[in-house]
Every structure is written in C-alpha cells, then in structure tokens.
Amino acid sequence: MASSPVAELEPKGMSSAIDHDHPGLVVRQMPDVPEDVPEDNDYYQDHLNDPYLDLRATRPTSIRSFSMESKKKIQMGYDQSDYDTESQYDRYSTSRAESAVDFDDESPYPEVRAAVSSVDDPLMPANTFRMWFLGIFFVFGVTFVNQILGLRYPAVYITGIVIQLVSLPCGKALEKILPRTVFNFFGYRWSFNPGPFSIKEHVCVTVMANVVIAGVYALEVTLSQRVFYGMEIAKGYQILLSLGSQCFGFCLGGFLRQFVVWPSSMIWPGALVNSALFNTLHKNYGQRDRGHMTRERFFLIAFVGSFVWYWIPGYLFTALSMFSWVCWIVPENVTVNALFGVNSGLGMSVITFDWGMIAFTGSPLVTPWWSEMNTAVAFILMFWIIAPILYFTNTWDSAHFPLSSYLSWDNTGNMYQATEVLTDGVFDQAKYDAYSPVYMSVTLALAYGIAFAAFPAVFVHTFLWFRKDIVRRFRSTLKDERDVHSRLMQYYPEVPAWWYLIVGVISLVFLIVAVEVYPTQLPIWALFLCLAVASALSLPLAMLQAITNQQVPTQVMHELIAGYILPGRPIANMIFKAVGFITGTQAVAFAADLKLGHYMKVPPRLIFAIQIVATLISAFLCSAIQDFMLENIEDICTREQKQGFICPGSTTWFTASVIWGAVSPKRIFSIGQRYSALLLFFPIGIVLPIPFYFLARRYPLSFWRYINIPVFFAGLGAMPPASGINYISWAVVGFIFNYVIRRFHFRWWMRYNYILSAALDSGAAMASIVIFLVLALPKGGIELNWWGNTVWLNTADAMGTPLLPIPEGTTI
C-alpha cells in the first residue's frame, strides 16, 4: 500500500507493524512494549480459542496506549473485498467486556471478507414464486436421482454445488418468460416476476436442494428390514421413522443458532465457499480490478479446466487417479503393494492427478491449514507407523487379510456372512460358534479405536476451550453480536424458539409411535437415550465443523452404545444408530445452512420455511421411490443385479447391524476378546486434550494453540476406504494454498482461493455425471481397455492379496 490514513494519525514515537500473514493489515505497536505483559496475557487467554484471530497482529496493549493518547479509535488498513468496494475495516475495542472486537463495517476475519459481502438490500426479493417453483423442482429432481443412483454401484450423486450452478440459468430464464403482472391479495402485492432473479432467491433454491441431497438416512433401516431380514414393513412406520429422525435434527439445529450461527468466530468454511460462488455468479464487475482477472472469468476458466481435465484420470487414463506407480513396478510383491497401494494398501505413493481423490475428504482449499496439519500428523502416526507395525507382526491375525479394507472377514479369509449367525432376525449363539468370530483389517480396527478416542475428546475439548463462551451465549441474542453481518441481520424478524420446539415435539411423537407400535426391538427408554446422546453431541460437533470444517463420524459410537445396552437385537441397533446419528448430523447441516443464510442476508423465517418444506417432501418422496424400486427391480440388492443396483451401502449397513447388534461389541471389544485393546483409546481421548490445552494457555503465541485433538482423531473418519494418497495429497495442497499462498500472496488468496475451490469441485462433479450418464450407463457402458486403465487393477493391491493367505480348506 502506498499510503494509509492511519500513518497520518500515528503519534510521534509509535511504530507500525505489518502482519505478514495478512498483507495490508497494519497494526500500531509501542516500540518498547514487552512481548508478555499481564494485560496482554489476559487478552490472549480470552481469545485463545479463536484460531482465526491472529493474536500477534492484535496486541491490545499497543492499541490501548494509542487510543488513550490520541483519543481516537485505531483504524487498520486492509485490501478491501471485491464484493464491497465501500466497506471499511473498522477497529478493535479494548476489553473482553466490549466483546474484544468491535467491527462496524467488516468482519475481523479475512476468510469472511474474501467471500461475503458486508452490504445488504432488505428490499431485494427472496420469497417469490420463482424461488418456490425452482426450489421444489430441484428438491424433486435431486431426490429422485440421488435416491435411485444411491443404490447403484458405482454411485453418482448430484451435489449442492451442481444445483448452485444449474439453478442460476433456470432463474434467469424464468425472469425473462414469466409475466410481470402485479396481483393484490388482501393487501399483499406480489408478482410471478418481481424483477431480476436475485441472489437471495438463488440462495434459497440451493438451501432447499442441500436439505435433500443426502436423502433420508432412516430408510436404510427399512430397506435392511425388507431385503435382508425378510420383514414386512408398514408404510406408516416407514414414514413416521423418516419424518421423526429428519425433523428432530432440524429442531436441534434451530437451538444451535446462538452458539454457532450468530457468533462471528464461527466462520463455517464450507459456507464461505458457497458465499464466494454466489457473489461471483451474480456480481458483474465489468472491468478488471487493478489489472487482475475478474472473479467471474477466473471461475469460468477454472471450471472448464477442471471439467476437461477430469476426463483424463476419470475415464481416459484412470491410472493417474489410482497412481500407485510403485506397485506397477512389482505388482506381485505383497509387502510393497500393502504399503504403496491405494485400494487395499496405505497409499504411500502419495501423488494423484485426480481432484476427486485429492478432495475425497473435502476440499483442501476450504479447510484451514492448522486443521489439515492435525489430520496429516494423525494419519502418518496411526496409519503409516502404527498400522504397518501391527500388520507385519500379525497382531489380531491381521496378516491373513488385506492391510486396509472396510469389510469384515471370517476365519477362512472370506467376507463375513452375517446371515450365518441369525435365526429369525435374532442372534443365534450356536450358529455363531459353528461359523466364525469376526475379523477386521488393521486399518478398520484402528479406525474403530480412533472413533472411540474422538467421542470423549470432543466433549473434553469443548469443555476446556469453550465452556465460558457457551455459558455466556445461553443468555445472548443476535443483538449482542458486534460484527457487521449480525448487525445487518437484525433488520429481519428472528424465528421464535417455540417454532423449533413445536417441530421437535411433533417429531418426537412420530418416533415414539414408530418404535412402540411396530416391531422394532427398541424400547422407549433406549429411544430417549439415543436422542439425549445426539442432543449432547450436536453442539460440540457443530462448533468443531464451524471452526475446522471437519466432521466427526459418530455412527460407531451409537452402534457401540446400542450393542452393549441391547445385545442380540440387530433391528434395535440399526434404529438407535440411524436416529442418533442423523439427528446430530441434521442439526449440524441445518445450522450450516442457517449460517449461509446469515452470510447472504436471507430472512431467517424464510430459511425456516424452505428447510421444513424440503424436509417433508424428501421424507415422502424418498420413501415412495425406495418402495417402487424394491418392488419393480429384479434381483435388487444382490450381486447378480444386471444394472448394478447391488446396494453397496445398504449391504455394509446390514453387515454392521449384525456385527454390532447381533454379535454385539461384547464379543469383539470387551475384556478378553480379540480387539479389547482398542478400548484403551477411550481414556486416550479423554486425557490427550488436557496437556495441549494447558500448553496453549502457557504459550499463547505458540503452535500449541493449533493442536486440536478432536480433529486429530475425527479427521481420519474416511479411513478406510481412503488411503494416504487421499489424505497426504489433500494436506499438501491445503498447505500450499492455505499457508504458503495465504501468507505470501494474501491478496491473490483473498480474491481467488474460494472461487478456485468451487470451480474445481463443480467442474469435477459435472464431468463425473456426464461420464456416468453418457458413457457408463447406456447399454452396459463403454469401456476403454488399455494399459492406462488396467495397470493398477493387475496388482496385489487391487486384488486385496493378504500377506499370509489362508490355505483353502483351513481356518485361522
């Protein structure tokens, strides 16, 4: 910056410190202030739990001295957002009592400034006929496609970013063809076409699609009951279970607002990507900004490049995706394939040229670098050091199976046949003794242990770092927030808490009727325990995702709890897991959409309405589609199904219900059983966050502040089937963009980082859908059979060859 208005106000004897992590951000500092003084330390301790706030750049002592001397508030210069050329970065206040930050015109976080506009037009149309028409249309379309293709292998899903892109030209088309006649309905004036298709309408359409993209989780229960357990399922039971599980999470999401939606420190990186893309699609800058490429043009170029490139690793040369090049050299060497393979190995090959593989666990451009660092260190420790040691020493007889697999095995080395231990849907001890105990691959066993550690670590970490904030926010309202976005949202009426409460009560009644009237094996007290666990988890899970962009997989914990309290009841275990997991997950997902609406200044009551409507439509429609498929597709959910409707996810779900519900964890993890050592992860998860918390308090400006134990464990939730080629490439790309480029090319990062993430994701998603619909689906598909598409298949890694094969006719 050539000059700054602050420089003119700087008193004699003051020095200017430039924060190199945030170029353009200028902070005033007294020349002789010690690095650690008591009043600074109080400030550091109060803001220790906000990793996005650069404590070195916001030292309150110097600010306080300057304010007292000049009688003026400090202003800090910054590279203004391209979305809001009039916005001004404001100031820091001087104490925690003043909320520590007091920004009138901008967010204190560069991540938010890079993606979110700090101006609003309250008169911009949002609740329009166009919005409802397109929203409901895409709810039906997305539900139909995802529900059908979700039972097929390979599965292709329509994602939210695809709807975000497709809905804009649809809205613009309606803007041109709908009549502009204005109607007067009892004093309420409205029109089919109130003017240009607005960004708020676009946001509402996308939020409706986001609600239904994942389908209805509870339908996995009813599918397993019908297909695998041979039970007759009443339509009323199916609908009540679907509605109750989906809507109770919606209720919890509403009560999370004051903790994870209104506070500016809960930035939700995923919502920032959507916000950046919305603004890019709608904002026509017209001219280049100081010689830089416009965001619109940058997005278009990156999108086209991603779309075109994906055809190479995704279809023409798939070996570039599964780039286990070391295994190609020695395809029959089991040891090398176990370490460097990407199918049943640990992925030490590292490199991949497929954005889908790099972003397998989420876009690395969105997740903050310190979160990626936690996950990468955990992966190397757990899966590149501990896992090989266990495997090559044949711990748990694991060398008789592939090193990495999400399947369970029997004592002959074949996939575990869950039906062999059941009689009339209930566990049969005699059959179990005659068949086989359950065996797991090393990575699957470690994944369970890691899930055991992540569960208590979330609670301990949240208590240590956020207990004061949580208690304070129990009494807070939107008016207590100081950032510009909360101030702008005060124009719109908030959703009363009793609206969410009514939804919760109705959904609870639905669940009670479903589990009590129909044969579910689940007692009412267990249902209430399930909902209590989900409710307790929803806040820490939401806070963790809002800050780190990482999700904590809790399915294992729900299966474990149900397996111990309801042993031998696989149906009850499935319902406990489905209701508990989806309730917490839905709460976090709804809160994320509320934050997106908060950023885009959509009226909260409108967000409430569109979420409820989309949820109701999805529950009925998904149920009807599943019924139709089960009744009309021959051999569905079997390996012999000709069109590929083999239901891979549902089969895994059923197997898990038998292992956790029928066999039960007491025969797998309890003291004296094969995998009992994994229970040690529970105390590890409890204890490990504590020393790092106190180290961070003792050294507030050190890297200890960025050690996050829940992320350390929970970030590994995709392993298996993920491997090192996913995790390490993800971490390397994230380090390059979110640390190196952010630190040394901050203006480029502010302008393009989130746009690049959206473009790469959407380009790869669109290409994968086109490849599937045009080349894979028609007449059995069109395959390219050449070395580049087969070399990675002809390896011990792809075939899952174990280190110590079990001779045929023998058992372990």
Side-chain angles (χ1 to χ4, degrees):
M1 297 177 63
S3 62
S4 170
V6 181
E8 300 175 4
L9 298 175
E10 184 175 2
K12 187 176 181 179
M14 295 287 291
S15 64
S16 299
I18 298 177
D19 177 15
H20 295 285
D21 287 340
H22 306 78
L25 183 63
V26 183
V27 183
R28 306 301 165 210
Q29 178 176 330
M30 293 294 291
D32 300 320
V33 176
E35 185 68 24
D36 263 332
V37 295
E39 55 185 351
D40 277 16
N41 192 59
D42 291 341
Y43 175 83
Y44 295 149
Q45 301 305 323
D46 285 341
H47 296 83
L48 204 61
N49 61 4
D50 187 353
Y52 291 97
L53 187 63
D54 188 349
L55 296 181
R56 292 182 181 274
T58 58
R59 295 190 61 213
T61 302
S62 56
I63 294 174
R64 191 155 38 243
S65 301
F66 181 42
S67 297
M68 292 172 60
E69 189 170 329
S70 66
K71 304 293 184 182
K72 296 181 181 179
K73 297 199 178 210
I74 287 187
Q75 296 180 339
M76 298 183 182
Y78 81 107
D79 187 40
Q80 295 176 353
S81 167
D82 290 341
Y83 299 130
D84 176 21
T85 56
E86 301 300 322
S87 62
Q88 296 290 326
Y89 191 92
D90 194 48
R91 51 197 173 267
Y92 286 94
S93 63
T94 60
S95 70
R96 185 66 176 179
E98 296 175 353
S99 299
V101 288
D102 184 15
F103 296 90
D104 288 339
D105 299 311
E106 263 296 356
S107 169
Y109 304 101
E111 290 81 2
V112 179
R113 298 199 304 273
V116 183
S117 174
S118 60
V119 295
D120 179 37
D121 178 8
L123 301 181
M124 181 183 294
N127 188 12
T128 66
F129 169 83
R130 290 182 309 215
M131 182 275 292
W132 285 106
F133 176 81
L134 288 176
I136 294 175
F137 172 80
F138 283 113
V139 164
F140 273 85
V142 170
T143 301
F144 183 80
V145 173
N146 284 2
Q147 183 66 25
I148 292 177
L149 297 184
L151 298 182
R152 191 183 183 278
Y153 181 82
V156 176
Y157 297 95
I158 296 179
T159 61
I161 202 164
V162 173
I163 300 303
Q164 192 174 359
L165 293 171
V166 173
S167 59
L168 180 58
C170 294
K172 292 296 184 182
L174 291 180
E175 170 190 320
K176 294 181 179 179
I177 64 177
L178 286 177
R180 297 181 178 271
T181 306
V182 177
F183 300 92
N184 194 325
F185 188 74
F186 293 102
Y188 177 75
R189 295 171 59 83
W190 67 280
S191 171
F192 285 108
N193 191 353
F197 183 68
S198 72
I199 192 171
K200 294 187 181 183
E201 292 176 281
H202 193 188
V203 171
C204 290
V205 172
T206 305
V207 168
M208 292 186 75
N210 284 340
V211 171
V212 304
I213 279 171
V216 178
Y217 196 67
L219 288 179
E220 292 284 7
V221 177
T222 58
L223 185 147
S224 296
Q225 287 178 280
R226 293 178 62 173
V227 174
F228 301 113
Y229 287 101
M231 301 174 63
E232 292 292 331
I233 299 300
K235 296 294 189 293
Y237 159 71
Q238 185 167 286
I239 291 295
L240 289 175
L241 187 64
S242 300
L243 286 174
S245 58
Q246 297 289 110
C247 292
F248 196 87
F250 177 72
C251 165
L252 290 180
F255 287 105
L256 293 177
R257 290 173 299 171
Q258 64 198 87
F259 303 103
V260 297
V261 176
W262 298 342
S264 60
S265 58
M266 301 292 156
I267 73 167
W268 290 91
L272 293 181
V273 175
N274 285 328
S275 299
L277 182 54
F278 278 124
N279 283 297
T280 297
L281 294 174
H282 284 265
K283 192 82 170 182
N284 185 2
Y285 304 115
Q287 299 179 352
R288 292 171 178 258
D289 176 36
R290 292 179 295 177
H292 292 284
M293 184 186 301
T294 64
R295 296 189 184 195
E296 283 181 319
R297 186 179 180 188
F298 181 86
F299 173 82
L300 182 61
I301 292 174
F303 172 82
V304 172
S306 176
F307 179 87
V308 172
W309 171 255
Y310 185 82
W311 283 74
I312 298 176
Y315 181 73
L316 300 174
F317 194 173
T318 56
L320 293 179
S321 177
M322 303 292 187
F323 197 63
S324 53
W325 59 276
V326 180
C327 301
W328 308 346
I329 301 173
V330 283
E332 298 180 359
N333 188 310
V334 176
T335 300
V336 171
N337 279 258
L339 295 176
F340 293 90
V342 298
N343 293 282
S344 60
L346 297 178
M348 291 185 181
S349 304
V350 176
I351 302 172
T352 177
F353 297 91
D354 182 353
W355 177 253
M357 293 289 284
I358 296 173
F360 185 80
T361 60
S363 174
L365 277 65
V366 178
T367 306
W369 71 267
W370 52 268
S371 177
E372 294 167 331
M373 177 268 296
N374 278 275
T375 300
V377 171
F379 179 86
I380 292 172
L381 176 63
M382 300 302 301
F383 292 109
W384 278 6
I385 297 178
I386 295 178
I389 292 174
L390 296 175
Y391 187 70
F392 291 110
T393 57
N394 199 23
T395 304
W396 304 316
D397 294 314
S398 59
H400 297 292
F401 314 102
L403 197 163
S404 182
S405 172
Y406 60 88
L407 300 174
S408 299
W409 311 91
D410 62 23
N411 55 14
T412 66
N414 294 311
M415 190 172 70
Y416 198 84
Q417 301 299 316
T419 54
E420 295 294 325
V421 299
L422 296 178
T423 300
D424 297 328
V426 179
F427 177 74
D428 190 319
Q429 182 67 50
K431 287 186 175 181
Y432 179 75
D433 294 336
Y435 177 43
S436 169
V438 177
Y439 293 87
M440 294 183 284
S441 68
V442 162
T443 56
L444 182 60
L446 281 178
Y448 282 140
I450 290 167
F452 296 162
F455 184 73
V458 167
F459 288 103
V460 175
H461 177 88
T462 303
F463 172 78
L464 292 174
W465 289 84
F466 298 102
R467 62 189 185 279
K468 294 181 180 178
D469 287 340
I470 292 174
V471 171
R472 185 177 67 254
R473 293 193 183 281
F474 267 113
R475 302 184 298 270
S476 68
T477 66
L478 184 61
K479 295 181 180 180
D480 296 320
E481 304 299 333
R482 297 294 187 91
D483 74 300
V484 60
H485 306 296
S486 295
R487 178 170 57 82
L488 292 173
M489 286 300 290
Q490 291 177 28
Y491 176 86
Y492 306 101
E494 252 313 324
V495 178
W498 63 268
W499 288 17
Y500 289 104
L501 184 61
I502 288 177
V503 173
V505 171
I506 294 175
S507 60
L508 179 60
V509 172
F510 286 168
L511 288 173
I512 292 175
V513 173
V515 303
E516 186 67 15
V517 174
Y518 302 97
T520 61
Q521 304 176 348
L522 185 74
I524 293 297
W525 63 265
L527 173 65
F528 279 96
L529 175 62
C530 167
L531 295 176
V533 172
S535 300
L537 276 170
S538 61
L539 178 57
L541 292 182
M543 296 183 76
L544 198 65
Q545 187 168 339
I547 295 173
T548 69
N549 199 43
Q550 296 279 17
Q551 296 179 344
V552 179
T554 60
Q555 301 100 311
V556 171
M557 287 312 307
H558 291 294
E559 290 172 325
L560 183 72
I561 294 171
Y564 273 112
I565 65 174
L566 301 168
R569 302 186 189 182
I571 306 300
N573 191 283
M574 286 195 299
I575 296 175
F576 191 99
K577 167 189 173 182
V579 174
F581 172 73
I582 199 56
T583 295
T585 302
Q586 285 287 82
V588 176
F590 282 131
D593 284 337
L594 289 175
K595 188 68 176 187
L596 177 61
H598 185 85
Y599 279 149
M600 303 307 298
K601 317 303 180 298
V602 179
R605 295 187 178 185
L606 180 58
I607 291 288
F608 176 92
I610 63 178
Q611 287 180 318
I612 280 288
V613 170
T615 302
L616 295 177
I617 294 175
S618 177
F620 285 98
L621 188 58
C622 284
S623 180
I625 293 172
Q626 179 175 285
D627 289 343
F628 177 83
M629 295 180 68
L630 294 180
E631 294 167 2
N632 293 277
I633 297 180
E634 185 179 358
D635 298 325
I636 190 170
C637 297
T638 66
R639 287 287 175 184
E640 293 75 28
Q641 216 292 317
K642 297 179 181 179
Q643 285 79 38
F645 291 102
I646 63 175
C647 312
S650 302
T651 303
T652 303
W653 176 283
F654 163 66
T655 302
S657 74
V658 175
I659 293 174
W660 292 93
V663 177
S664 81
K666 72 177 183 180
R667 295 182 178 89
I668 302 175
F669 299 109
S670 293
I671 303 302
Q673 301 302 319
R674 183 178 305 273
Y675 299 100
S676 60
L678 294 176
L679 295 179
L680 293 175
F681 277 89
F682 277 106
I684 291 174
I686 295 173
V687 173
L688 205 55
I690 299 174
F692 292 107
Y693 169 73
F694 286 105
L695 283 170
R697 289 186 62 85
R698 176 63 182 85
Y699 305 102
L701 299 180
S702 69
F703 73 92
W704 298 114
R705 177 178 172 227
Y706 298 101
I707 304 299
N708 189 307
I709 299 303
V711 171
F712 182 88
F713 289 119
L716 303 179
M719 184 74 191
S723 70
I725 205 170
N726 304 112
Y727 275 103
I728 302 304
S729 61
W730 169 81
V732 170
V733 172
F735 176 79
I736 292 172
F737 280 91
N738 286 339
Y739 182 78
V740 176
I741 293 180
R742 187 184 188 279
R743 181 170 185 176
F744 297 106
H745 302 280
F746 185 68
R747 288 184 176 87
W748 188 97
W749 184 92
M750 281 274 288
R751 187 173 290 108
Y752 299 128
N753 183 70
Y754 292 119
I755 302 302
L756 179 61
S757 176
L760 293 175
D761 286 344
S762 54
M766 292 295 290
S768 65
I769 292 176
V770 171
I771 290 172
F772 173 75
L773 295 177
V774 175
L775 299 175
L777 189 59
K779 298 180 181 180
I782 303 173
E783 297 183 3
L784 293 181
N785 190 10
W786 73 290
W787 177 88
N789 286 346
T790 60
V791 62
W792 62 275
L793 293 171
N794 301 320
T795 61
D797 164 55
M799 292 182 283
T801 306
L803 184 66
L804 302 175
I806 303 172
E808 189 173 351
T810 63
T811 61
I812 298 176

